[in-house]
Amino acid sequence: MREITYAEAIREAMTLEMRRDPDVFFFGEDIGLYGGAFGVSVGMFEEFGEERVRDTPISEAVLVGAAAGAAVTGTRPIVEIQFSDFITIGMDQLVNQAAKMRYMFGGRAQVPMVLRTPAGSGTGAAAQHSQSLEAWYAHVPGLKLVIPSTPYDAKGLLISAIRDNNPVVFMEQKLLYRRKGEVPEESYTVPLSKSDVKREGRDLTIVTYGRMVPTCIEIADEMSAKDGVEIEIVDPRTLRPLDAEPIIASAKKTGRVLIVHEAVQFGGYGGEIAAIIADSEAFYYLDAPIRRLGGLDIPIPYNPELERNAVPTPERIRETIQGLLA
Amino acid sequence: MATKQQTKRPPELTKEKLSDIYLKMLQTRNFEEKVAYFFSRGMVHGTTHLCAGQEASAIGACANLDESDLITSTHRGHGHCIGKGININRMMSELLGKADGYCKGKGGSMHIADLTRGNLGANGIVGGGLPIAVGAAMTLKLKKKDNIVVCFFGDGAINEGSFHESVNLASIWKLPVIFICENNQYAMSMSAKRSMNIDDLSVRASSYGIPGKTIDGNDFLEVYHAVKEAKAYAKTNGPMLLISNTYRFKGHSKSDANKYRTKEEIEEWKALDPIPRLRAWLEEEKILTATELDGIEKQAHEDIEAAVEYASNSPDPSVDTILEDVYAD
Ligand SMILES: Cc1ncc(C[n+]2csc(CCOP(=O)(O)OP(=O)(O)O)c2C)c(N)n1
Ligand SMILES: [Mg+2]
């Protein structure tokens, strides 16, 4: 099959949906001729014109709120927030408006919008351009939250997100943008709220998402070849609403669980996964305490070696796995 | 400030239409009085923000709109709801948290919305509605609809960043939005005078290269004319900013000792009450007789009593509904 990058897969999803549905349109900072800060939307302005691919001023609050306002009145906007860190400025509109309208209005409104935004460290951009704030969104009922780990998932999940009738936060992984994978040319969907077993194994479960998925798969393959250890990797893909069943099933099967994410560990999404497993019948099958490996309790530093060590490194992941298996 | 109504009466303001407008202003006043009574007796929980005194602004603006025009409202939104043609029984039900309220009892006073009639909802966040109004206007543009959005907000909201971001975005995209700042002189206890270094808030329009105008928001006809003009303007040229000067007769929310304003000031504004002003004009112009006007007043009173009756007899929502309506299918 044809291989394209994660960024291209995202562009393809938006493009196909915009060709299919005239109600879908796209706006954000520098997404037009410039093609977006990470080049995700290159060529879309040329194809769809400035009515449907709109460059905006630097005004995150109104961008997020306008997406909600457009969505609640019958269109399907995609809004790009240039770096996920800047959501702080649009947070009121996301949390107090978009996420609340349906419930607060007694189920009589729907807000079919997608907020796309690049997240994560590893680009040398330091503390204000490198965060992974998914726990914030995951904490808000009414929002959906998707973090794809492969180009295939990125395309199929984004198409589902655009067709979904709820506000969906779609956190893209900067370090995966240039990564290639097999992606069909035609339109297809990957359903939201369906966890995916990315690698099967019997000895230990890693629950991870986003850019830590390929890292963990590499480690698992390596350990399989070297030590004959078989690690199962479960990728929730949609963090909200979560499909917990495959995670619980895997924990039951292997009896050992490691949760890995780049986001700061304290108060992070991994704590919820650990609690869900501990609260389930999988608890009785555990052979070891559930372990979490998240980012250190620091802002992301600038120096490349400091930055690399701020989030789970392959070395730390390997060590933690070995500790769990011992 | 002029105490006399402008006398120019456009032909579309028929006797019938003006009767309806007068009725809606009175329904709003009576609704607010009733809610104030409920709160003083502790008969409802939560909080509410009453717009008594500001009826001409809300009803006068909405009198220019039809069902497919859109509005975004504020925490002080009961007049906007009535102006936009809401069913008052179900509005009262929502206030009492009942199952057949507009939000099935999940929203309350601060979140009443009636999407079927273009009312995109009140808002508990000061300045929260402005970006939504901009987005709604984007829909109108994308779908090539010949409607407008009226975005109501207060003199407090005009100092939120969302005001600046929203008006700017609407201005560059020439979106059909009328931004109406209902300047009731106070944001809770903070006066407009103390919170801004300008007297005439409409000058802010010039920062965005759009027209701005300050009007007597207690003069129904002046509000009506200004919004009529703004509507025609917005459809072809883009947004406009109107500052509707008015005053709230009640406290900020259910509890308010009025420490931040004087009795004299309140009395001065009460002399400018928009409801008797409209009545006087309707009589002077011989549009409605005193008997007809008395009839409308009686009608408004009965409508609110009926709404209370309706809402009191409505069922509370079942606790089984608590998890419903978080996500759409
Ligand atoms: C973002 C935000 N800040 C503060 C409040 C608390 N609050 C509610 S209404 C209000 C005053 C708003 O003043 P204004 O915009 O003039 O509207 P008014 O109440 O006068 O109608 C305040 C401070 C809030 N609800 N939202
Ligand atoms: Mg005010």
Side-chain angles (χ1 to χ4, degrees):
Chain A
M1 199 190 292
R2 166 191 79 138
E3 291 205 340
I4 59 173
T5 66
Y6 184 94
E8 286 163 343
I10 291 164
R11 180 190 315 146
E12 211 165 85
M14 288 196 282
T15 302
L16 288 171
E17 282 306 284
M18 285 179 65
R19 284 183 196 150
R20 190 186 67 85
D21 181 353
D23 286 343
V24 179
F25 70 112
F26 176 36
F27 57 97
E29 294 158 17
D30 309 296
I31 56 127
L33 267 186
Y34 191 91
F38 292 89
V40 172
S41 53
V42 166
M44 290 180 65
F45 177 82
E46 289 83 342
E47 175 171 354
F48 297 103
E50 62 182 349
E51 270 279 300
R52 292 181 73 202
V53 177
R54 281 177 180 263
D55 276 323
T56 70
I58 303 162
S59 304
E60 289 78 12
V62 70
L63 297 190
V64 179
V72 79
T73 48
T75 51
R76 293 187 174 274
I78 305 167
V79 59
E80 178 175 309
I81 296 296
Q82 198 162 66
F83 282 78
S84 66
D85 312 69
F86 311 158
I87 193 58
T88 47
I89 293 154
M91 207 62 176
D92 168 58
Q93 290 294 322
L94 185 67
V95 172
N96 284 324
Q97 311 297 339
K100 298 294 189 285
M101 279 187 200
R102 185 169 181 81
Y103 193 83
M104 187 164 85
F105 298 161
R108 294 191 167 94
Q110 61 178 35
V111 187
M113 61 176 270
V114 178
L115 188 160
R116 289 185 37 245
T117 190
S121 66
T123 64
Q128 297 169 334
H129 289 72
S130 305
Q131 295 166 88
S132 299
L133 298 172
E134 59 267 23
W136 290 10
Y137 313 111
H139 195 62
V140 180
L143 294 182
K144 292 193 175 185
L145 171 60
V146 177
I147 307 185
S149 65
T150 67
Y152 179 89
D153 283 354
K155 178 172 169 182
L157 287 166
L158 184 52
I159 291 178
S160 293
I162 294 168
R163 294 181 190 176
D164 195 89
N165 287 326
N166 296 282
V168 181
V169 177
F170 196 85
M171 284 178 75
E172 298 166 8
Q173 304 284 282
K174 274 174 255 172
L175 285 197
L176 297 182
Y177 272 143
R178 305 282 158 244
R179 222 182 144 95
K180 282 192 168 176
E182 291 190 343
V183 178
E185 291 191 32
E186 68 276 9
S187 181
Y188 63 91
T189 57
V190 170
L192 302 187
S193 296
K194 243 187 154 30
S195 297
D196 187 37
V197 177
K198 283 277 186 301
R199 185 185 194 283
E200 294 207 21
R202 55 171 189 269
D203 299 319
L204 178 142
T205 298
I206 296 182
V207 182
T208 188
Y209 53 85
R211 75 126 146 159
M212 287 292 156
V213 171
T215 305
C216 289
I217 292 176
E218 276 160 36
I219 292 168
D221 288 348
E222 206 182 278
M223 291 181 83
S224 161
K226 228 172 84 200
D227 316 314
V229 172
E230 292 306 333
I231 296 173
E232 181 145 297
I233 296 179
V234 187
D235 174 4
R237 303 191 289 197
T238 302
L239 278 63
R240 239 338 203 161
L242 174 70
D243 170 25
E245 207 35 59
I247 295 170
I248 293 167
S250 181
K252 270 171 77 174
K253 180 167 95 176
T254 66
R256 293 168 207 275
V257 179
L258 169 63
I259 301 154
V260 182
H261 57 58
E262 175 176 341
V264 170
Q265 183 168 315
F266 190 95
Y269 188 76
E272 190 61 37
I273 300 275
I276 286 170
I277 296 168
D279 280 347
S280 76
E281 77 269 17
F283 178 77
Y284 303 103
Y285 295 77
L286 292 179
D287 298 320
I290 302 166
R291 289 294 311 272
R292 283 180 299 153
L293 207 47
L296 302 183
D297 224 356
I298 52 169
I300 299 293
Y302 172 60
N303 170 284
E305 207 36 36
L306 294 184
E307 181 180 25
R308 199 180 75 83
N309 278 283
V311 302
T313 56
E315 304 87 81
R316 272 169 58 214
I317 297 171
R318 239 178 260 117
E319 256 170 50
T320 314
I321 293 171
Q322 277 151 359
L324 261 170
L325 289 170
Chain B
M1 180 173 304
T3 50
K4 198 169 159 11
Q5 300 278 346
Q6 286 190 5
T7 45
K8 230 172 47 202
R9 174 184 170 199
E12 76 276 9
L13 286 184
T14 57
K15 174 176 174 173
E16 204 184 12
K17 172 102 182 166
L18 284 165
S19 304
D20 183 56
I21 284 161
Y22 189 56
L23 176 69
K24 286 193 165 119
M25 281 176 56
L26 285 160
Q27 285 173 331
T28 305
R29 178 68 55 90
N30 286 322
F31 190 94
E32 301 301 55
E33 293 295 349
K34 188 57 82 178
V35 175
Y37 171 79
F38 284 159
F39 272 94
S40 69
R41 293 289 168 109
M43 287 161 72
V44 280
H45 78 161
T47 193
T48 191
H49 306 83
L50 305 177
C51 72
Q54 306 183 193
E55 293 88 348
S57 185
I59 307 297
C62 291
N64 285 284
L65 308 181
D66 60 45
E67 275 194 9
S68 24
D69 290 316
L70 304 167
I71 66 164
T72 59
S73 171
T74 70
H75 56 285
R76 205 174 299 287
H78 299 160
H80 308 142
C81 288
I82 291 176
K84 201 71 176 64
I86 206 163
N87 175 312
I88 295 175
N89 291 350
R90 289 186 46 219
M91 178 174 160
M92 188 65 88
S93 272
E94 187 55 39
L95 214 112
L96 300 188
K98 298 301 182 82
D100 59 355
Y102 268 91
C103 313
K104 302 183 195 161
K106 286 171 175 163
S109 164
M110 253 190 300
H111 301 302
I112 299 171
D114 179 12
L115 291 126
T116 58
R117 290 190 191 81
N119 178 352
L120 303 179
N123 214 307
I125 304 296
V126 170
L130 287 106
I132 293 165
V134 170
M138 287 166 76
T139 294
L140 295 178
K141 237 188 171 169
L142 198 73
K143 293 190 178 264
K144 304 201 171 8
K145 291 205 178 141
D146 188 36
N147 293 105
I148 60 156
V149 184
V150 168
C151 172
F152 292 104
F153 58 100
D155 50 291
I158 205 168
N159 293 326
E160 285 281 6
S162 65
F163 166 78
H164 167 75
E165 292 193 16
S166 299
V167 180
N168 183 59
L169 197 65
S171 77
I172 58 166
W173 289 344
K174 306 209 178 318
L175 297 175
V177 187
I178 310 176
F179 292 98
I180 302 185
C181 175
E182 296 185 303
N183 179 9
N184 59 9
Q185 318 303 323
Y186 292 91
M188 234 161 123
S189 69
M190 184 68 171
S191 70
K193 282 199 170 58
R194 287 201 297 146
S195 61
M196 283 170 274
N197 196 26
I198 46 175
D199 290 323
D200 179 3
L201 313 192
S202 74
V203 299
R204 289 198 173 177
S206 68
S207 314
Y208 313 101
I210 64 168
K213 191 174 172 183
T214 295
I215 56 174
D216 176 357
N218 280 13
D219 179 334
F220 162 75
L221 263 195
E222 188 167 330
V223 175
Y224 179 83
H225 277 294
V227 175
K228 184 179 166 182
E229 262 176 44
K231 182 178 176 178
Y233 178 88
K235 280 188 180 183
T236 34
N237 305 294
M240 205 179 149
L241 175 65
L242 291 178
I243 310 295
S244 179
N245 272 325
T246 183
Y247 200 77
R248 63 169 155 73
F249 291 166
K250 308 265 181 206
H252 164 71
S253 61
K254 59 171 180 174
S255 55
D256 187 333
N258 274 323
K259 277 188 185 162
Y260 51 89
R261 53 184 192 177
T262 61
K263 272 212 166 63
E264 292 72 35
E265 182 185 285
I266 298 172
E267 288 315 312
E268 267 170 45
W269 276 95
K270 281 198 169 161
L272 301 171
D273 188 333
I275 292 178
R277 282 171 75 185
L278 178 58
R279 182 181 165 122
W281 178 77
L282 290 167
E283 260 192 279
E284 263 166 44
E285 294 293 308
K286 302 201 181 348
I287 299 165
L288 289 161
T289 65
T291 321
E292 285 169 326
L293 288 161
D294 290 345
I296 295 172
E297 282 166 28
K298 188 161 164 281
Q299 175 72 47
H301 180 77
E302 285 168 7
D303 289 345
I304 300 308
E305 290 303 322
V308 171
E309 178 77 12
Y310 175 92
S312 311
N313 292 321
S314 294
D316 279 315
S318 154
V319 175
D320 295 343
T321 64
I322 196 168
L323 293 176
E324 290 170 9
D325 304 322
V326 179
Y327 292 100
D329 292 333

